[in-house]
Structures are given as C-alpha cells and as structure tokens.
Amino acid sequence: MQDVTVVRTSVQPPYAAHLRVYEPLAAYPEPERARWQAFAAEHGPDAAEPAQPVAAAVLEEQREALVGLAARTPRALPERESGRAYLRVVDGVLYVCPWATRLRSWQALEELRAGAPVALLDTALPPVARAAAEADRERWRAEHPDARPWILTSRWEVPVRWFLPFGDEDRCFVPGGGAAAGAAADGGVDGPPGGKEGVGEGGGEHGGRPAALFYLVPMAQARRRVARAFRALREAVPDGELVRGAERVGRWLEEFHPRSLVELDYGGLVHLLGPERLLADRSAGELEEGLRALRAGDTAEALRVYGELTVRWRRVLALRHAN
C-alpha cells in the first residue's frame, strides 16, 4: 500500500466505484519512469502487502479536489497535473496508476454538463469557468492525442460490465476498524489476489482503516475473461447491453501494457452498502456463473442470473434520488 497513514477527515468519500489499471514501471518512457520511481521511493508502497486497499490515497485525492472547488474562484479542473499515482508492488515489480486528474476532471465536467440542471451547473461552476476549462482541454488534446485515463469512475453503482474481467477468487474484502482490520490485513489479504477475506466490522471508519471491497487481477487474465464473455454474448445476444459493454471494456484494456494489473474498487460505495451487504456481495462470481450457463446453452439460467444482478445494482443506483 502506497500510504499507510490513516487520512483523518470529516468528509466521506463520494458514493463512487473505480476501475483502475496499474502499469509496470517499465511501461513508462523516460523521464516519466524516473519521476514515478522517485515518487514511489518517497511514498513507499509496501511490498509485503500487495493486495491492500488504496482507500487512504483515495481520500487524499478527494481532499485535493475539494480544495480546488472550494477556492474563492472555483476551478473546474486543476491548473496542472498533481504528479501523484496509486502504487502497488507485486512479486517485486512496481505498478503505477497515475491519477491523471486533469483528464478525468474534463470527463467529469462532460458528464455533469450532460446530466445536471443548467441552474445547478451554473451555480456550482459559472459558465466562464466552464468555457475556460473547455478551451484548455482543446489545447491539451492537441498536444496529447493518444491520452487515455488509467481510472474510470462510476457514481452510485458498479456497472455490471465492470465485473467481466474478474472472478470470485479475485475478491478482497477488508473490514473497517482498527484491530479487526489489522487482523484481516495480516491474515486475510496478505499476498497476491485470490479471494481473500476477513471478518469483522465493516462499512465505515471505526477509528482506524476504512472498509474496502475490491478485485485485483493480472491484465492477461482480465483480457481473456472479457474476450470469452464477448464471444459468448455476441453469439447469444448480439444486440444486448452487456455485449456492447464487454466491447467497451475490452477496447479500454487493450490500451495498456499486457503485464499490467486491473483493479475494481467499490470505493465510497462501501459506506452506502454497509457491512452485511458487502460480506454477501458476490457480483463477479454470479456474472461468471451466468456466462458459464450461457456457454453451456442454458439461456434461461443465464438470463435469470443477469436479471437478478442487474436489478440488485439498479436498486443501489436508485438511492441517488433518496431524500
């Protein structure tokens, strides 16, 4: 874990999940490689705990963003890249997932503009600030035509397509709390990804480490799973929503180094779901079962599994309208 310090803040992380790619340090050209190596030396990822959550760093990233938004003149995006990243060390190899905050801020601004009422948008970010951000983006895009984010974010739900690269054995649940979380870290998720799980308090911060639920898998395995799912779905339901989602996820994964790591992090959704639902959640495994049924020709069973999974996550998504 890149930062073992508990970030103490009264601000809860947003109800958002994240799909991340960590590329090996060797995938970055110079001088980027040297910069990430120096960053890792300063922030010290723990090689002894390769499957620890990155919740503390997520809070730090959010805090940086809030500082910009709370400025006297709100900034729609950072003036420059933070130069920070999520880090993992697995089998002696350093993996880096840059925050790429400016690029992700532009994407979030697009989503906000498409989904928020104009009056609310103008209050949060005045038109002049948005116009400046758009002009800045066009200049930046001309200089970085091949740029792509290492992190995708989804608010209020985990899209079902995001489970395609993972199996139930890749699931890591770390309960929240002090001693309980420490016990889980020592005995539950100590080692490479593989369905590790601890039992204790969960769902929030209990004076120590926040709860976390995430999946972590090598890129080669993630690509194989998505490709197999895409083939099965294309043959059975060529116009289905999930087959289009599998294609989008597969294309995004192809943008990265073949020896990368892929992570699905429930992020702030752990505070929305609570400990009991987190313990019971086996979404990736259920989707895997549905795809096995589909490949075996049992369409009815595949539809049942997909339907139940979709309905469950739509109920979570519906909470965004709760008062």
Side-chain angles (χ1 to χ4, degrees), residues 102-119:
R102 283 170 64 81
L103 176 57
R104 290 165 56 214
S105 296
W106 280 314
Q107 292 174 328
L109 183 58
E110 281 186 356
E111 294 174 15
L112 185 65
R113 187 174 56 185
V118 175

Side-chain angles (χ1 to χ4, degrees), residues 265-285:
D265 183 359
Y266 276 45
L269 290 181
V270 298
H271 302 281
L272 181 67
L273 297 174
E276 292 183 3
R277 293 171 76 178
L278 289 173
L279 280 169
D281 186 274
R282 289 294 191 281
S283 295

Side-chain angles (χ1 to χ4, degrees), residues 1-3 5-7 9 11-20 22 52-66 84-88 97 99 101 104 151 153 205 210-214 263-271:
M1 185 176 174
Q2 75 279 12
D3 186 357
T5 302
V6 174
V7 178
T9 173
V11 178
Q12 288 284 357
Y15 295 144
H18 311 279
L19 190 63
R20 304 187 186 102
Y22 297 77
Q52 283 300 297
V54 295
V58 171
L59 285 173
E60 195 65 38
E61 182 185 18
Q62 182 197 6
R63 192 158 60 181
E64 280 194 10
L66 288 174
R84 302 187 66 178
Y86 299 111
L87 305 173
R88 288 194 178 277
C97 176
W99 287 1
T101 313
R104 290 165 56 214
I151 305 169
T153 297
E205 295 185 42
L213 176 57
F214 63 99
E263 177 185 56
L264 168 56
D265 183 359
Y266 276 45
L269 290 181
V270 298
H271 302 281

Side-chain angles (χ1 to χ4, degrees), residues 71-96:
R72 185 179 296 273
T73 302
R75 296 194 300 269
L77 67 155
E79 294 178 356
R80 60 184 65 84
E81 280 295 354
S82 65
R84 302 187 66 178
Y86 299 111
L87 305 173
R88 288 194 178 277
V89 174
V90 178
D91 296 330
V93 178
L94 174 64
Y95 294 86
V96 180

